[in-house]
Amino acid sequence: MIRPSEDNQYYELHSPTAMPKASGFLWNENMMIHMNCRGYAVSQFMQPEPSKYSHAPNLEAKTFMQPEQPYYAHHPGRFVYIKDEESGGLFSAPYEPVRVLPERYTFFAGKHDIKWLVQHDGIAVEMKLGLSKNDPFELWTVKVANQGRAKRKISVYPYYTVGYMSWMNQSGQYHEELQSIVCSSITPYQKYKEYDKIKHLNDKTFLLADKAPTAWEVNQEVFEGEGGIGNPSALEGDTLSGSDARYEMPVCVMQYKLELEPGDETELRFIFGAARTEEDIAAIRRKYFQPGTGGSDGFAEAEAEYAAYVREGEGCLEIDTPDKALDNFANHWLPRQMYYHGRTNRLTTDPQTRNYLQDNMGMSYMAPELAREAFLTALSQQNASGAMPDGIILHKDAELKYINQVPHTDHCVWLPVCLVTYLDETDDYSLLEEKVAFADSPELATVSRHIDLAMEWLLKTRDERGLNYIEQGDWCDPMNMVGYKGKGVSGWLTMASGYAFRVWGDICQNCGRMEEAALYRQRAEETNEIVNRYLWDGNWYARGITDDNVPFGISSDKEGKVFINPQGWSLMCGAADEQKKAKLMQAVTEHLESPYGVEKLGPPYTAMREDVGRVTQKHPGTAENGAVYNHAAAFYIYALYLADEKDHAFDLLRRMIPGPDQEDLERRGQLPVFIPNYYRGAYRQIPRTAGRSSHLFNTGTVPWVYRILVDGLFGLKGERNGLRVAPRLPSDWSGVSVKRSFRGAELNVSIKRYKGIAAQEVYVDGELAEDGLLAHLETGKHYEVLVKIPG
Amino acid sequence: MIRPSEDNQYYELHSPTAMPKASGFLWNENMMIHMNCRGYAVSQFMQPEPSKYSHAPNLEAKTFMQPEQPYYAHHPGRFVYIKDEESGGLFSAPYEPVRVLPERYTFFAGKHDIKWLVQHDGIAVEMKLGLSKNDPFELWTVKVANQGRAKRKISVYPYYTVGYMSWMNQSGQYHEELQSIVCSSITPYQKYKEYDKIKHLNDKTFLLADKAPTAWEVNQEVFEGEGGIGNPSALEGDTLSGSDARYEMPVCVMQYKLELEPGDETELRFIFGAARTEEDIAAIRRKYFQPGTGGSDGFAEAEAEYAAYVREGEGCLEIDTPDKALDNFANHWLPRQMYYHGRTNRLTTDPQTRNYLQDNMGMSYMAPELAREAFLTALSQQNASGAMPDGIILHKDAELKYINQVPHTDHCVWLPVCLVTYLDETDDYSLLEEKVAFADSPELATVSRHIDLAMEWLLKTRDERGLNYIEQGDWCDPMNMVGYKGKGVSGWLTMASGYAFRVWGDICQNCGRMEEAALYRQRAEETNEIVNRYLWDGNWYARGITDDNVPFGISSDKEGKVFINPQGWSLMCGAADEQKKAKLMQAVTEHLESPYGVEKLGPPYTAMREDVGRVTQKHPGTAENGAVYNHAAAFYIYALYLADEKDHAFDLLRRMIPGPDQEDLERRGQLPVFIPNYYRGAYRQIPRTAGRSSHLFNTGTVPWVYRILVDGLFGLKGERNGLRVAPRLPSDWSGVSVKRSFRGAELNVSIKRYKGIAAQEVYVDGELAEDGLLAHLETGKHYEVLVKIPG
């Protein structure tokens, strides 16, 4: 069974086999760990590029985080073997690698820690993983208790994977004076100039113990012997052999021999992670394990500091609705996931520009000062031509990597689209007057001017019809061969430009730039006409037109007939009239909606289409090719709210957030502690795998889901003069309560259905608010808001 | 026990646990497979760069072949599970992954196939792996026999690892009409220009069965279930489930239900490997499994053709000495390994120039026409300045990779050093008159002129003292920071240049270029003076002098005191007089000799020395840092033969070739079917691991060991006028017989000790040959040669 804990701090899972890939994740300012319910782990830290201290058993490719990846016996993990010294009985917590099904098992995926409680054969094992706020290592607490009635002699063996560190140099040994296993390696390099970088890397992996172990094993081969990782030969003996590793695969295993009277409990604590030198490890030991005043020590203090850090990631909404799973997700996990994005920039030094802007759109709700800074950083990397780069460089040594080396044409769109949330939330229009230089020119220009240039760039990079060039790709579907010859155009991007012009026109109006306001609104109108002239296919909008003038994403296509993006954005930019809206919604329902959400395109491509390109080579139902790509789905839902399609919008929103239905959760295979970047799609073609969750929690979906809640579902959106109330509850909700923080004011909003009223009525502290606008709200004050809606 | 088979076609190993990393290898024109005795495999094929069809369970880094790599439960492998349908008993052949120790086990590492014979629980399993001459796939024969007295019902499940093919697209399913499991994937790419390359790749992995299976499993997760790879859950059922893989990790498992009467045997055959399309697989099926005339089919014909291909790799020596292990190695495995190098160029499209030249030096003994062509290819890539490139491009799409992007200064040296063997062996001095262009100039120049330019380049790239610049490295120890500022020099390279001048002077003399002969010999003399003036350290020669004028490889160094290369090459170039020779030999014995051969340097570096660089970051005792680096050791042995140190040379040679001592073999951990690139060194510092074999069979060692046998030990070296006989047998050998093929003549040479003679006497067909020179040998003729040596 999967359920939230009573304090909503955890999600609980009660079987290690029901959802073998279920996981939780923790992050801090310098690392991330994705912890699987069975004990496997994916962890990375920044120096400045993502690095590992716990490796696979072979040479791993260095690449971006994978959405779905297999686990296998030697996948990096954190385990505790428990051996009964008298009977020889062996099991491991949490479950891997011995795979003895414990009598009781609970996995707690938490916000600031991750825990297991495993009870087997009269022994209870509690494992807890925490982090500090900044350090690239894990804080582990292992408690072992005798729950039986007889004295027990057991050995407890914490196991931490080190893996294949380096082909150049790797070794490991126990250091008595550090009470640590220290594994050393050297990052391989070929060119002498690289040495200057690699010499500063944290190339050591260490396991530091609070209590001195009875014995240890550092050599993976010696540890496993012929028994293998599931039944290691080294555990057959009385004590581990104290091996070392010399250009052999290291492992960190310690042994604690315990004699436990009935009811006795022993607590062991460990720090596992990366360091540069033995001196650093000695300093860590002093900092974390030296008792402070009052009995607490650095370890406990770090845990408390980290919990406080995670708590900082609070949203501006606290909701109480008939849907408790939604409440839990929106109040706890969604802001947490959004905060993760904003704080870590997805653990990359060169986030894609569109991701960086959207992640910081999310930060507008929780840490607007960071969002402000990020917008300025992004604009400082704009070219004087108005073009935005493909990625934002966040570290002096960073460079554009992977997909950021492929030119995309949509980055400018996201400037007004994301900025408007910051302005709505803060009313900080002074940002528009800040002066920033360009990447290729020291000339200072206001933020307004920067965005004017971005809009002009979007107007310039159009063909003779007025459709925007796609070059080697735009957002969310890397269709790299539609327009690489310089002629192909993107339907979606043309709509998105139109939407950006409209939003920017509104912003200009708000700050008194009336001429620009009129100009951009006119451009938006013109764009809508162009969209309707060239892209309407009869029942929905086409995705684009190739270099060879072939429209695609249209009814005569066999695969990739309908794409979600042009449909949602045609609603947002206003191109679709009522008739078109009805038709395209019908098409989306027919071709793209699934029990797990709205698919990105359908039917998915099963073979290469050379004039479309890369997306058609993605596996059907995954990533961009026919998956429920939540980021794209979120825009459609947002658009439906704008179009006042309350019930349909809520229905689709609800499919995106897993739970509370247990069967649905098990099918997805992920606890509802984050929204993944996609669920497997191709529901009509490959039903067996449809709905399965990607395990990637990096996704631009989250700020948009938050914006859907604020602007759409609860309708508590900021604007220049205050907070505009316009909730769009699903018809079957009689009412909700929402706490909304807004520009320093706290609002307790009660939304209730009333029979006999024709239109919504909004009361603030008992007084009617005209047009639902809450003006003159004051920082530090509390307001009681009653919203009567017809029903 | 490890022993050669009676026909010398195999090496046998009788336990899967005694030497768990023991292996054999097969290659053909397009692929290589390194097969571990327990069933694990490393395989690669060329298209044109090395590619895999059997992958690890995670994203693997693409890199050069690793000398030592860990095996783990999910390492790619080829296994057969055998289940008793009545008792449920399960074991696997050869040993992994179930790890039931069989009652009888033999691993046969062969020349043109690799076999296992595993007997357990009344069932005998024979597994045989063969290759075809050209195709990138494996030919497997699995025979299963009932050795008991009762009828047996069993299921046989061949298992072939497919692994994590691609994050972009991977799937697998059984194709009835192809009788194959076909797993598809798409090689990931980011930039549209890469698509044009990846679209032609053999991205499918297939398992094609001769007989239709009862059932199959294609989904790794479904196959393993909670039982894991050691006890797969899918084997608990009656028949496999017929699963497929959809963006899930594929595997190729088939099930054959057999009912075997006592004495019955069933033969199953499979083809496993890479293909581009289903049509290709259908064609493979027709070609290999369609019976031909006479009962044989393509499968059997391919095996025969491959065996013939491997037999082509014959050396020019067949020896019969008191040392049977040496005989076996020199007659069978050494030429095979040499042939592998020459045919495959180590499965790279850009072999390092020095490797390419030395590998083709080896081919001079077995396929001189290929060696000739290779020398011309290499010279066509020389610059008009005389400089040789760091790698030789062998395919139009190839580029210089890895270490070939780092400028090294020794490549010119190898031209005369390797060419002389070709000339000695063939007397084809016409090669020197061939005209070849340059990489950067269409101007044609003779081979002689090319090599003159190479020698002049070596003379130009010296400092004011006459010592050769090392830049970012020279041969065999990537000391990338000695001279990157442009000042540091290499002691070894200066000696090697001197040796090259001498050899080239001799060649010039032989073809009548007397002026050049005198010139280069004079340069050689001058170089020797320079070497002695700047590099003699009192008891041995220094390795070099850094950018900051710090000599290293000297007695005052704490680590890296003595390097083997300058000692051996000082003997070869003639710099060391008798007194120096005695001293340096003493130093080598004291600091570098170990039971497993001569170490590369000593004591190995344990920490970075920033003025020396990369070598000091290699793990002590591995690769270049203090290992018994056989390639370097071979030169020392060659030099000792030139210096007439017969017994010492033979002793060191013998340590390089594993066996026959069983304890020694087990320590090394490798069957004597190849010489590895290194044995672990640091014998004085890390005795636990010293002697352990690298598993990399790519090494320039082999042609030099062959040259040691020809020029040194047996002294049957060619020269302009014939074959010069000058054997240097160890003192405790009373005599040997050698068959020597030479320029088309066949010589039966008997070398015997005679008491009472003062000097060697050589008789050809009973007639005394003056000075031991066998002149006027005729192609196609046989000669009986008696060599009497004093003793």
Side-chain angles (χ1 to χ4, degrees), chain A residues 56 58-59 66 95 167-168 189 191 195 226 244 246-248 405 610 614 619 680 688 692, chain B residues 38 56 58 61 66 95 167-168 189 191 195 226 244 247-248 405 610 614 619 680 688 692:
Chain A
N58 62 350
L59 273 185
Q66 295 296 307
Y95 175 63
W167 59 257
M168 203 159 184
Y189 71 107
K191 297 172 186 168
Y195 169 68
E226 292 298 320
D244 60 5
R246 302 285 177 191
Y247 203 61
E248 293 157 310
Q405 295 178 347
E610 293 207 347
R614 192 165 173 273
H619 200 87
R680 287 273 194 108
R688 178 171 67 81
R692 197 179 281 184
Chain B
R38 291 156 70 114
N58 63 349
Q66 295 296 307
Y95 175 63
W167 58 258
M168 203 158 186
Y189 70 107
K191 297 172 186 166
Y195 169 68
E226 291 299 321
D244 60 5
Y247 202 59
E248 293 158 309
Q405 296 178 346
E610 294 206 348
R614 192 165 172 275
H619 202 87
R680 287 273 194 108
R688 177 170 68 78
R692 197 179 283 184

Side-chain angles (χ1 to χ4, degrees), chain A residues 390-417:
Chain A
D390 283 290
I392 302 299
I393 296 291
L394 297 183
H395 188 283
K396 68 176 171 48
D397 292 335
E399 48 189 36
L400 296 185
K401 292 179 293 294
Y402 307 122
I403 198 72
N404 283 352
Q405 295 178 347
V406 176
H408 285 65
T409 46
D410 62 307
H411 296 293
C412 287
V413 158
W414 304 98
L415 288 169
V417 171

Side-chain angles (χ1 to χ4, degrees), chain B residues 741-773:
Chain B
S741 309
F742 182 69
R743 299 181 193 169
E746 297 293 331
L747 296 88
N748 285 325
V749 184
S750 176
I751 309 174
K752 286 185 188 163
R753 289 204 190 277
Y754 282 77
K755 295 212 190 295
I757 57 171
Q760 151 192 300
E761 293 167 14
V762 179
Y763 300 88
V764 188
D765 292 337
E767 283 187 37
L768 185 70
E770 288 286 340
D771 292 332
L773 178 68

Side-chain angles (χ1 to χ4, degrees), chain B residues 707-783:
Chain B
R707 194 164 157 183
I708 284 167
L709 298 179
V710 172
D711 295 5
L713 179 58
F714 299 106
L716 297 167
K717 177 173 167 291
E719 58 180 55
R720 270 252 72 163
N721 303 317
L723 190 84
R724 179 76 64 178
V725 180
R728 296 182 184 88
L729 306 189
S731 334
D732 57 354
W733 281 7
S734 60
V736 301
S737 296
V738 182
K739 287 189 190 165
R740 171 72 157 104
S741 309
F742 182 69
R743 299 181 193 169
E746 297 293 331
L747 296 88
N748 285 325
V749 184
S750 176
I751 309 174
K752 286 185 188 163
R753 289 204 190 277
Y754 282 77
K755 295 212 190 295
I757 57 171
Q760 151 192 300
E761 293 167 14
V762 179
Y763 300 88
V764 188
D765 292 337
E767 283 187 37
L768 185 70
E770 288 286 340
D771 292 332
L773 178 68
L774 313 186
H776 314 301
L777 297 172
E778 287 175 43
T779 296
K781 288 214 171 160
H782 280 70
Y783 300 89

Side-chain angles (χ1 to χ4, degrees), chain A residues 16-17 20-21 38 56-64 66-70 72-74 95 99 164 167-171 186-187 189-192 195 198-199 219 221 224-228 244-249 402-403 405-406 472 480-481 484 608 610 613-614 617-620 622 678 680 686 688-689 692, chain B residues 16-17 20-21 38 56-64 66-70 72-74 95 99 164 167-171 186-187 189-192 195 198-199 219 221 224-228 244-249 402-403 405-406 472 480-481 484 608 610 613-614 617-620 622 678 680 686 688-689 692:
Chain A
T17 55
K21 291 180 182 170
R38 291 156 70 113
N58 62 350
L59 273 185
E60 288 175 282
K62 192 170 179 174
T63 183
F64 44 89
Q66 295 296 307
E68 296 188 56
Q69 53 130 46
Y72 51 96
H74 286 81
Y95 175 63
R99 294 193 175 180
Y164 197 39
W167 59 257
M168 203 159 184
N169 186 320
Q170 61 176 2
S171 61
I186 290 174
T187 297
Y189 71 107
Q190 299 282 2
K191 297 172 186 168
Y192 79 86
Y195 169 68
I198 74 117
K199 70 193 269 196
N219 189 307
E221 212 172 304
E224 290 193 29
E226 292 298 320
D244 60 5
R246 302 285 177 191
Y247 203 61
E248 293 157 310
M249 197 153 77
Y402 307 122
I403 198 72
Q405 295 178 347
V406 176
Q472 291 172 44
N480 61 344
M481 292 200 263
Y484 69 94
M608 183 65 178
E610 293 207 347
R614 192 165 173 273
Q617 302 208 331
K618 292 283 188 103
H619 200 87
T622 69
Y678 70 81
R680 287 273 194 108
I686 316 177
R688 178 171 67 81
T689 52
R692 197 179 281 184
Chain B
T17 54
K21 290 180 182 169
R38 291 156 70 114
N58 63 349
L59 274 184
E60 288 174 283
K62 191 169 180 174
T63 184
F64 43 88
Q66 295 296 307
E68 297 187 57
Q69 53 132 47
Y72 52 96
H74 286 81
Y95 175 63
R99 294 194 175 180
Y164 197 39
W167 58 258
M168 203 158 186
N169 186 320
Q170 60 176 2
S171 62
I186 290 175
T187 297
Y189 70 107
Q190 299 282 2
K191 297 172 186 166
Y192 80 87
Y195 169 68
I198 73 121
K199 71 193 269 195
N219 188 307
E221 213 172 303
E224 290 192 29
E226 291 299 321
D244 60 5
R246 303 284 177 192
Y247 202 59
E248 293 158 309
M249 200 154 77
Y402 305 123
I403 198 72
Q405 296 178 346
V406 176
Q472 289 173 44
N480 61 343
M481 292 201 261
Y484 69 92
M608 184 63 178
E610 294 206 348
R614 192 165 172 275
Q617 302 209 331
K618 293 283 187 104
H619 202 87
T622 70
Y678 69 82
R680 287 273 194 108
I686 316 177
R688 177 170 68 78
T689 53
R692 197 179 283 184

Side-chain angles (χ1 to χ4, degrees), chain B residues 631-671:
Chain B
H631 197 177
F635 280 100
Y636 186 65
I637 296 167
Y638 190 77
L640 290 183
Y641 273 115
L642 293 190
D644 220 27
E645 295 286 340
K646 298 191 249 287
D647 285 315
H648 197 157
F650 185 74
D651 181 29
L652 295 180
L653 173 65
R654 208 56 201 76
R655 297 185 202 185
M656 185 182 284
I657 299 165
D661 181 76
Q662 300 286 315
E663 209 173 300
D664 178 70
L665 279 175
E666 289 190 15
R667 181 170 187 91
R668 297 188 194 239
Q670 177 52 43
L671 298 177

